[in-house]
Amino acid sequence: MALSARYARRQPQTNFWPGFVDAMSTLLLVFVFLLSIFMVVQFLLEREISGRDTVLNRLRNEIAELSDMLSLEKTDKSRLETNLAELSNNLEMREKENSRLQARLDQASRSGGEMQTALSNLRGKLADERKLSANALAQVELLNRQIAALRRQIAALDEALAASEQQNGESKEQIADLGRRLNAALARRVQELEGYRSEFFGVLRKILGQYPGVHEVGDRFVFQSEVLFPKGSAQLNDPGRRDLDMLAGALKDLETKIPPDIDWVLRVDGHTDTDPINTGVFPSNWELSTARAIAVVKYLIKQGVPPKRLVAAGFSSYHPIERGDSEAAKQRNRRIELKLTGR
């Protein structure tokens, strides 16, 4: 009964706990509201970032490097978002702990001092969590500014790339036009050289056409080997030297007529028949055909024809003008061919 009397005497005292609990509930509701706003803003920010990342795929190597940097920034952002999720979990745990503390307040009103200390600690922890959240938001804002700067750089590079592609297109058109003009110029040069070749062959036709064993085949002037050389030899005979004297005079006259920008040569080709030769001087038909072509070139140079206008080549028996092994075919295939052509 003494305890009842003492409890009856304490009843008129003011009870602060209901007001304190209401204040804590209000604080928690405000914190939950702010956290909800933060999550909505974060969700919108993530949706905008993910919706515009496809633009980065159009860039080339330099843009790919910037995209890698952006990917690193996104990784940091994901890490911060993970930290925020952990903070949210921590806050939820704090709310559960607060509920448990509230239950303890209802059951043990006499332990008010201890509960006050616990609530103070909880407030301190909540303040720390808010600081961490504020730091995380600041880092997210910094990342957003860096992403915006990277996108501006990417846009500038995209514009530069478009301008470069346009310039490349114009350059390709100029190159194509230059190629067309060059081909036209080459065609004109070929036509001019063809005209001089016709004139040269006309002169040779007048000078040498009446000699047996000298005739024209297509774009070449042909000397039968017997006209210039004894059989199996690369030494010019006297009639052959006279013919080559006239040929040298025609070449020197032609050189004065052809413009210097037309790079022409007289190709001297040596050919043999299929009869094999194997001597100390000529181990095969290759050596004989080549030696005869060189002998003609050397004689023309001796008569004043510029060496740069002459080319000697030997073809052995592998390019006949008449098939077969008859004596007539062999005689036609033993020959020196002259062809006026470009270098």
Side-chain angles (χ1 to χ4, degrees):
M1 292 183 61
L3 179 61
S4 297
R6 187 171 54 184
Y7 180 77
R9 287 195 299 271
R10 292 182 58 186
Q11 281 297 103
Q13 294 179 357
T14 302
N15 190 357
F16 295 101
W17 292 112
F20 179 78
V21 170
D22 291 340
M24 286 298 300
S25 299
T26 303
L27 286 175
L28 289 175
L29 288 174
V30 169
F31 178 78
V32 171
F33 176 73
L34 292 177
L35 184 61
S36 300
I37 292 176
F38 170 75
M39 296 300 292
V40 169
V41 170
Q42 186 65 29
F43 172 75
L44 294 176
L45 179 61
E46 289 178 356
R47 188 174 63 181
E48 180 181 358
I49 291 174
S50 61
R52 299 184 64 180
D53 283 339
T54 55
V55 178
L56 304 179
N57 294 327
R58 300 178 320 182
L59 302 177
R60 293 183 177 176
N61 294 330
E62 293 183 28
I63 300 176
E65 295 177 0
L66 292 174
S67 298
D68 292 339
M69 294 174 60
L70 182 60
S71 177
L72 292 175
E73 297 293 344
K74 286 182 178 179
T75 302
D76 292 339
K77 182 180 176 181
S78 299
R79 180 174 54 80
L80 291 174
E81 290 175 350
T82 303
N83 292 337
L84 286 176
E86 293 177 355
L87 292 175
S88 299
N89 293 333
N90 291 336
L91 287 175
E92 184 177 359
M93 293 175 61
R94 295 297 183 273
E95 290 177 355
K96 292 180 179 179
E97 185 177 357
N98 189 32
S99 298
R100 290 194 298 270
L101 291 174
Q102 183 65 41
R104 290 177 62 186
L105 283 173
D106 294 338
Q107 295 175 1
S109 58
R110 291 180 298 177
S111 57
E114 295 178 359
M115 294 302 298
Q116 182 67 33
T117 302
L119 287 174
S120 298
N121 293 334
L122 180 60
R123 289 195 186 99
K125 292 179 180 180
L126 289 175
D128 293 338
E129 297 293 341
R130 286 170 182 165
K131 289 180 181 179
L132 291 175
S133 298
N135 292 333
L137 287 174
Q139 292 183 12
V140 169
E141 180 63 25
L142 178 61
L143 286 175
N144 289 334
R145 289 197 297 270
Q146 292 176 350
I147 290 171
L150 286 174
R151 286 179 174 169
R152 288 194 295 270
Q153 294 179 9
I154 290 170
L157 287 174
D158 197 10
E159 293 177 359
L161 181 61
S164 177
E165 290 177 351
Q166 182 179 1
Q167 185 176 3
N168 287 338
E170 294 174 355
S171 298
K172 288 179 181 178
E173 182 62 29
Q174 292 176 358
I175 291 172
D177 181 63
L178 181 60
R180 289 191 293 268
R181 287 186 293 173
L182 180 59
N183 290 334
L186 290 175
R188 287 195 299 271
R189 287 288 181 263
V190 170
Q191 291 177 355
E192 292 178 12
L193 184 59
E194 185 66 29
Y196 289 115
R197 177 192 298 152
S198 300
E199 180 181 349
F200 174 63
F201 279 6
V203 172
L204 292 183
R205 199 178 301 113
K206 290 179 182 179
I207 297 174
L208 303 173
Q210 72 274 18
Y211 291 94
V214 181
H215 55 278
E216 190 175 351
V217 179
D219 60 349
R220 296 160 292 171
F221 216 82
V222 179
F223 288 79
Q224 297 307 135
S225 293
E226 288 77 4
V227 175
L228 301 174
F229 303 98
K231 183 175 177 60
S233 173
Q235 296 293 326
L236 287 166
N237 57 33
D238 292 337
R241 290 190 183 94
R242 287 193 296 270
D243 292 341
L244 292 180
D245 288 340
M246 291 183 284
L247 173 63
L251 279 173
K252 290 188 287 186
D253 181 64
L254 178 67
E255 187 183 19
T256 62
K257 296 179 180 179
I258 299 179
D261 58 342
I262 298 180
D263 196 7
W264 64 274
V265 293
L266 180 71
R267 202 178 78 189
V268 181
D269 298 337
H271 299 265
T272 68
D273 58 21
T274 55
D275 291 339
I277 186 171
N278 186 3
T279 66
V281 180
F282 306 115
S284 70
N285 292 40
W286 283 107
E287 284 80 7
L288 178 59
S289 64
T290 304
R292 285 179 170 177
I294 293 174
V296 171
V297 166
K298 286 184 175 180
Y299 189 83
L300 293 175
I301 293 173
K302 187 177 179 181
Q303 302 309 309
V305 178
K308 68 177 183 178
R309 299 302 183 188
L310 297 170
V311 175
F315 292 87
S316 186
S317 60
Y318 297 104
H319 294 271
I321 57 177
E322 184 173 334
R323 299 291 179 181
D325 293 328
S326 65
E327 287 301 322
K330 292 180 180 180
Q331 183 179 10
R332 291 199 63 194
N333 291 332
R334 294 191 300 267
R335 68 198 188 276
I336 293 291
E337 292 185 352
L338 305 177
K339 182 176 181 180
L340 191 69
T341 183
R343 187 181 297 275

